[in-house]
Amino acid sequence: MTALAMAGNRLKLLSLGTKAAIAAMVVCAAVAGFLLSPTRQPANAATYSVPLTPARAASLVQATTGEAANDMQAIGDRAKVINAALPFASGPLLSARPFAAAGSDVDQRRALLCLTQAVYYEAGFEPMDGRRAVAQVILNRMRHPAFPKSICGVVYQNNGRICQFTFVCDGALTRRPAGAAWQQAETIARAALAGYVEKSVGSATHYHANYVAPRWAPLLAKVSQLGQHIFYRWPGSWGQPAAFTGRYVGEPRDPLSLRPVAPAVFGPITADAVTAAPVVAGPPVPRAENDVGGLLDTTKGWTLSIPDPRETSGAASKLIAAQERKAAKPVETAAAGTVAGAISGTR
């Protein structure tokens, strides 16, 4: 081999190494920019006991329940990188107090139904501690000043367009659930209403799937990951047990009356769909393509394209691939264009 050819090969190797280095720098810069942006005021950087001003508390509620609640930083693999880079909150993970459902028999039956629905449709095929964690989040919300003071009120909370729990708005409730998983969800809900506490999520009030990265996530304190769900509490003292002073008022409204208008594709909702006991495994649990594990804006358009959650990692991989194809932008050919595009796409 001539000296000229050897020099050419060395230049090629150097070029490949430079490209790899640039790619790594792009990922690091994107994640750092997301986490350290001064407009985000990351919750994990604050002492866990710092009190929140009323204005700050109001802005957090707006960011997680208002029009911007579904604003995604990334989806798929990029979201997983961002989620992994966000550190867990410092300070102790304090457990919530046990909850004991009071009220009439009607109150207890309504509370059990609403909590069972949430556990099943939000995490019915997640690990058992992940299902219990969803039930705990609902109880935590009910006790916090920022949320309604009934179990069904928390589960069905919506502003006409954005539902705090996706299954309420996406038509899932019109389809009969899988019998065994429903019975497990009911057992978990019954235990939670009788005082069981899922300590692994502490006073968490929010969660999302790990394959999406909502822009609100760094505003809260990341406390745990169970299965595909990442759990968060409010930052500072607002997320500590002492702040959960809300009193349970029972279940004054029938769950059926709390539902938003059903999507036309599913037809009318009947009382049988709410109260009938599941007896056989039914069709796949539907999920909207903009499902973020608890939030859905039905005005932005959606399709029931997510596979049955009983299909494990293969289904999740297909979902992520489909989401990434839909969100993909034309690839820049110039090296500078590629770097700039990668950074701006993760801002």
Side-chain angles (χ1 to χ4, degrees):
M1 181 179 292
T2 66
L4 183 59
M6 293 174 65
N9 287 337
R10 284 196 295 270
L11 287 174
K12 289 180 181 178
L13 290 174
L14 177 61
S15 176
L16 290 174
T18 302
K19 290 179 180 178
I22 290 175
M25 290 171 62
V26 167
V27 172
C28 291
V31 172
F34 175 69
L35 296 178
L36 301 179
S37 171
T39 61
R40 295 193 179 281
Q41 303 176 16
N44 294 309
T47 303
Y48 75 97
S49 60
V50 171
L52 266 65
T53 64
R56 176 65 174 149
S59 69
L60 286 171
V61 172
Q62 181 62 26
T64 56
T65 64
E67 298 301 319
N70 286 325
D71 190 7
M72 292 296 105
Q73 168 68 13
I75 58 175
D77 288 340
R78 281 202 305 149
K80 290 183 176 182
V81 171
I82 291 172
N83 290 331
L86 185 65
F88 287 97
S90 59
L93 182 62
L94 302 178
S95 299
R97 301 188 311 275
F99 175 81
S104 68
D105 180 63
V106 171
D107 288 327
Q108 294 186 35
R109 284 191 286 109
R110 287 175 176 175
L112 178 61
L113 173 61
C114 290
L115 193 55
T116 300
Q117 288 172 335
V119 172
Y120 175 80
Y121 288 106
E122 289 291 300
F125 300 93
E126 287 288 294
M128 291 300 290
D129 55 357
R131 302 183 218 184
R132 296 188 184 103
V134 167
Q136 190 63 56
V137 163
I138 292 166
L139 295 182
N140 290 347
R141 284 193 171 203
M142 186 275 299
R143 283 173 159 167
H144 196 275
F147 301 100
K149 293 295 156 283
S150 68
I151 303 299
C152 291
V154 167
V155 170
Y156 282 92
Q157 184 182 6
N158 69 90
N159 65 3
R161 291 178 302 190
I162 296 176
C163 288
Q164 290 297 290
F165 295 94
T166 310
F167 72 92
V168 171
C169 280
D170 70 3
L173 285 167
T174 64
R175 297 191 175 185
R176 188 176 296 275
W182 176 272
Q183 293 300 331
Q184 290 175 344
E186 186 177 86
T187 298
I188 289 170
R190 194 182 299 277
L193 294 174
Y196 178 85
V197 175
E198 179 54 50
K199 298 180 179 179
S200 62
V201 293
S203 54
T205 49
H206 297 73
Y207 63 87
H208 64 78
N210 67 342
Y211 51 80
V212 296
R215 292 189 182 276
W216 53 258
L219 303 176
L220 307 186
K222 179 180 175 183
V223 297
S224 183
Q225 178 166 354
L226 301 172
Q228 289 192 333
H229 285 148
I230 303 172
F231 294 84
Y232 302 80
R233 62 166 171 80
W234 294 118
S237 61
W238 216 40
Q240 296 304 312
F244 291 71
T245 57
R247 289 176 172 269
Y248 178 57
V249 299
E251 307 298 332
R253 296 184 60 185
D254 187 317
L256 187 60
S257 71
L258 294 170
R259 293 189 186 185
V261 177
V265 67
F266 293 105
I269 296 177
T270 65
D272 290 342
V274 182
T275 59
V279 291
V280 294
V285 175
R287 276 291 179 268
E289 64 181 15
N290 57 350
D291 182 353
V292 299
L295 294 169
L296 170 67
D297 185 348
T298 56
T299 66
K300 294 183 179 178
W302 52 269
T303 57
L304 299 180
S305 60
I306 297 179
D308 189 328
R310 285 168 289 186
E311 302 171 17
T312 55
S313 59
S317 299
K318 292 177 182 178
L319 167 61
I320 291 170
Q323 290 174 318
E324 289 177 330
R325 284 196 300 272
K326 185 169 182 179
K329 297 180 179 179
V331 178
E332 299 287 348
T333 55
T338 302
V339 173
I343 295 176
S344 64
T346 55
R347 192 172 303 153

